[in-house]
C-alpha cells in the first residue's frame, strides 16, 4: 500500500499538515524534474559528441545544498 500524503501515520486524514506541506512537496517535485531533465540533456550532449559516460553524474543545488546522484 502506498503512503498517502494527506493521511497521518495512523491512516487518519490530516488536512492541516497536508496543506502546510503541499507547497514544499510541489517544490521538491519540480526540482527533481529539473534535475532529471538536465541529466538527460547532458547524456544526450555526451552521446552526440561521440563520447561515452563512464561514471555517475553528481549534481549539487546551489540554493538548497541538496546533492543528486
Amino acid at each position: 500500500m502506498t503512503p498517502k500524503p494527506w493521511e497521518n501515520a495512523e491512516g487518519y486524514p490530516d488536512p492541516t499538515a497536508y496543506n502546510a506541506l503541499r507547497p514544499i512537496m510541489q517544490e521538491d517535485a519540480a526540482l527533481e524534474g529539473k534535475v532529471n531533465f538536465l541529466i538527460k540533456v547532458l547524456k544526450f550532449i555526451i552521446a552526440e559528441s561521440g563520447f561515452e559516460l563512464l561514471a555517475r553524474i553528481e549534481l549539487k543545488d546551489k540554493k538548497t545544498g541538496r546533492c543528486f546522484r
Side-chain angles (χ1 to χ4, degrees):
M1 187 178 202
T2 59
K4 299 174 186 164
W6 58 86
E7 293 180 350
N8 62 18
E10 290 81 26
Y12 295 104
D14 191 357
T16 304
Y18 175 66
N19 289 333
L21 292 175
R22 189 172 32 186
I24 296 168
M25 293 186 304
Q26 289 173 342
E27 184 179 315
D28 191 43
L31 183 59
E32 289 276 344
K34 282 177 60 175
V35 169
N36 289 335
F37 180 73
L38 176 59
I39 289 175
K40 286 181 183 180
V41 169
L42 291 172
K43 288 181 178 180
F44 176 78
I45 292 170
I46 290 168
E48 288 297 311
S49 300
F51 291 93
E52 183 178 344
L53 183 64
L54 299 177
R56 173 176 262 186
I57 297 173
E58 294 185 23
L59 302 171
K60 181 177 179 181
D61 184 23
K62 287 183 178 182
K63 181 180 174 186
T64 64
R66 184 172 170 195
C67 293
F68 297 90
R69 294 183 172 99

